[in-house]
Amino acid sequence: MILSACTTTTTDSNPSSKNSIELSALTVEVEEYELRDSGNLGNDSSKNNSNEEAEGYKKDVKVLHYNFELLNAGDEVIGTVNGDGSNQLIVYMEAHDELLALMAENYWKIEDTEGKAPNLLSNMLGLSAKKQTYLKPNETGQYSLKYEISEGQDLNDVLEKAYNAEIVIKLGDVFEESELLKRINLKNN
């Protein structure tokens, strides 16, 4: 089952043209995912490891997979093109309570104890992400985020509540301070 939407309700923290990020496409689905831990928790199952000893722990889990595109409708580059990591576009999902109750808890979450905005903030346990760290003007970036579903959940219920979440978009360093650019609320779609 695939849910899709193309319109959103957004909140800009800085409404300048620099931060004119729009959601241009979205699909959500439930998938099987092979979780492996050989020192790299969350390796994608599409990567084959021929060394049996290095494979370590394996577990099949269900994931909620968000695929979406963000468009920079502004006239400036958002994020660092050179990839030094200090001023990158940071994108993650934040579940609202109804969805969060069905998802695995993010045990890596960093609490904001110093008034900073740490970026490992997704309240769901992320297992795989493919994201673009910058957007050029009028460019669309592809994003693919997978979050673990708690064991024993009704997968139809998870799909029904998949839009009880927000796409959070920040600019900064993953482990340091960052500036909130936009929250895109999927619940109103």
Side-chain angles (χ1 to χ4, degrees), residues 3-177:
L3 305 172
S4 64
C6 290
T7 60
T8 60
T9 300
T10 61
T11 303
D12 283 327
S13 67
N14 184 353
S16 74
S17 63
K18 175 183 175 186
N19 299 327
S20 298
I21 299 174
E22 301 172 2
L23 180 64
S24 60
L26 170 68
T27 60
V28 180
E29 55 193 335
V30 171
E31 298 177 349
E32 296 278 337
Y33 185 85
E34 185 178 90
L35 183 63
R36 295 184 208 169
D37 185 8
S38 59
N40 298 312
L41 185 63
N43 282 339
D44 195 312
S45 61
S46 64
K47 296 177 182 175
N48 292 325
N49 186 346
S50 60
N51 184 349
E52 292 288 328
E53 292 178 15
E55 286 187 26
Y57 174 81
K58 283 186 180 182
K59 179 181 178 183
D60 290 327
V61 297
K62 303 279 192 244
V63 295
L64 187 56
H65 186 181
Y66 291 91
N67 273 303
F68 55 94
E69 295 177 358
L70 296 176
L71 169 67
N72 177 0
D75 56 5
E76 298 178 29
V77 174
I78 303 173
T80 303
V81 177
N82 66 10
D84 70 0
S86 63
N87 196 34
Q88 64 183 326
L89 198 57
I90 301 159
V91 178
Y92 61 90
M93 301 300 299
E94 188 173 290
H96 297 168
D97 290 343
E98 287 181 11
L99 175 60
L100 186 58
L102 306 174
M103 304 301 292
E105 180 183 357
N106 182 0
Y107 48 81
W108 299 108
K109 183 176 176 179
I110 297 174
E111 294 299 325
D112 186 5
T113 58
E114 299 177 12
K116 295 182 178 182
N119 297 307
L120 297 175
L121 276 179
S122 180
N123 51 7
M124 298 183 285
L125 181 59
L127 297 181
S128 176
K130 294 177 184 169
K131 357 180 184 180
Q132 194 166 325
T133 59
Y134 66 90
L135 288 173
K136 294 180 181 177
N138 299 311
E139 179 180 78
T140 300
Q142 306 288 319
Y143 297 83
S144 174
L145 307 174
K146 295 180 182 181
Y147 295 95
E148 185 176 349
I149 300 169
S150 292
E151 287 187 38
Q153 296 300 327
D154 179 324
L155 300 181
N156 289 324
D157 195 27
V158 173
L159 275 175
E160 286 176 19
K161 294 182 176 151
Y163 284 89
N164 290 318
E166 295 179 340
I167 299 172
V168 179
I169 305 165
K170 295 182 175 184
L171 186 65
D173 185 299
V174 174
F175 298 105
E176 297 295 329
E177 290 187 53

